[in-house]
Amino acid sequence: MKLLFISAVDKAEAWREAMLNELPELEFRVWPDEAEPRDDVDYALVWRPPHGLLKTYPNLKAILSLGAGIDGIVCDPELPRHLPIVRLVDHCLTDGMSEYVIYWVLHYHRHMGKYSRMVADGKWSNLPQHDTRLRRVGILGLGELGGNAARKLAALGFDVAGWSRSEKDIQGVTSFTGRDALKLFLARTEILVCLLPLTDKTAGIINAETIAQLPHGAFVINSARGGHVVDAELLAALNSGHLAGATLDVFHNEPPPPDHPFWSHPKVAVTPHMASLTVPHYAAEYIAMNIRRITAGEVPLNVVDLDKGY
Ligand code: GLV
């Protein structure tokens, strides 16, 4: 059984160890492997593979994603669409993302940025403390990651709502669905978190029009994909004062160019696409479970629906 790893070469050894630990019989190959035959590779384990590459492996049984988001795979115009593409779902990735979201929600809710600046200036005073139960957090996307963050924020006492393609039943979380409800969802949201998959329906969803529907003084946290945000329109809303702050973990180009205003904007917190990192040890368990399912003739878990785009 052969698996081809198509990602940053410096990560290959950690993945080899983790995968062989789960599946000792696996032959783990690392791309680029130009001299090797291509017709004996069964699985491709990938993060943003070069366009046109996957179709040159004629006997693949599945494309296994190294990330939760698969936009970097399905954007390949020559993608072998008949193959199952399997999303990565693992508790480490999910918990890590919820921690990131909770950290920044609390940061804004408790004015931590303002306090840091005050203390740096030698000022000792207090800001009003908001009632958690009245603090309205809104999560765009209630899938594996958004659903977990929503549940945990609700457990902390926040007034949480989510907007998703299909209605979700999560305890303590108000569910909004469909384009018409987006307006209502935004109007009640003081801290907006984006955890949507990036598809042609969600690209640019954080734009001048949707931002204007948020209440004055709202915050935006984007840990999904840079493509969800229209940068210039987000900046305009921060500069006009309509938005009080934004935390961005993902960007159109990563890293953003050195002269991009996000780097130094006083209302923007930039993190280097670290909201949740895949830990090979845990992810390998899940990936191996899906390989075993495929070997046994079963359908793998979390197969991407190419019509939905996630
Ligand atoms: C990271 O961005 C992922 O998709 O897992």
Side-chain angles (χ1 to χ4, degrees), residues 157-209:
F158 289 99
D159 180 357
V160 183
W163 182 78
S164 50
R165 179 185 167 109
S166 55
E167 183 150 354
K168 298 282 152 101
D169 184 10
I170 302 175
Q171 198 184 357
V173 178
T174 311
S175 173
F176 289 82
T177 55
R179 278 276 154 179
D180 293 343
L182 181 58
K183 227 185 203 169
L184 300 172
F185 163 82
L186 292 168
R188 54 75 63 203
T189 291
E190 295 168 295
I191 303 177
L192 179 71
V193 178
C194 180
L195 280 173
L196 286 166
L198 184 64
T199 67
D200 50 5
K201 293 204 173 64
T202 65
I205 194 163
I206 301 177
N207 57 44
E209 189 186 338

Side-chain angles (χ1 to χ4, degrees), residues 40-192:
D40 60 350
V41 177
D42 302 292
Y43 300 100
L45 181 59
V46 307
W47 174 251
R48 299 187 175 161
H51 289 180
L53 181 66
L54 291 170
K55 74 151 199 228
T56 66
Y57 293 85
N59 294 319
L60 285 180
K61 297 190 176 75
I63 299 166
L64 309 168
S65 173
L66 283 163
I70 47 76
D71 46 292
I73 301 173
V74 299
C75 62
D76 179 352
E78 296 173 86
L79 181 73
R81 294 175 69 90
H82 62 284
L83 290 177
I85 300 167
V86 182
R87 279 185 296 122
L88 182 67
V89 176
D90 97 85
H91 77 273
C92 243
L93 199 64
T94 307
D95 290 346
M97 184 58 84
S98 290
E99 285 160 16
Y100 183 89
V101 168
I102 291 165
Y103 178 94
W104 285 104
V105 166
L106 289 173
H107 176 91
Y108 291 130
H109 176 61
R110 297 302 310 270
H111 312 297
M112 296 310 274
K114 281 189 192 152
Y115 275 121
S116 307
R117 286 190 293 278
M118 276 168 45
V119 171
D121 288 343
K123 281 197 203 123
W124 179 275
S125 72
N126 290 162
L127 298 164
Q129 184 169 321
H130 291 283
D131 185 342
T132 311
R133 294 176 197 188
L134 300 180
R135 179 64 92 174
R136 298 188 306 266
V137 182
I139 318 258
L140 286 169
L142 286 179
E144 203 62 41
L145 301 178
N148 189 271
R151 192 175 299 115
K152 289 177 176 169
L153 285 164
L156 286 174
F158 289 99
D159 180 357
V160 183
W163 182 78
S164 50
R165 179 185 167 109
S166 55
E167 183 150 354
K168 298 282 152 101
D169 184 10
I170 302 175
Q171 198 184 357
V173 178
T174 311
S175 173
F176 289 82
T177 55
R179 278 276 154 179
D180 293 343
L182 181 58
K183 227 185 203 169
L184 300 172
F185 163 82
L186 292 168
R188 54 75 63 203
T189 291
E190 295 168 295
I191 303 177
L192 179 71

Side-chain angles (χ1 to χ4, degrees), residues 47 67-69 93 225 273 278:
W47 174 251
L93 199 64
R225 287 288 182 260
H273 201 144
T278 307

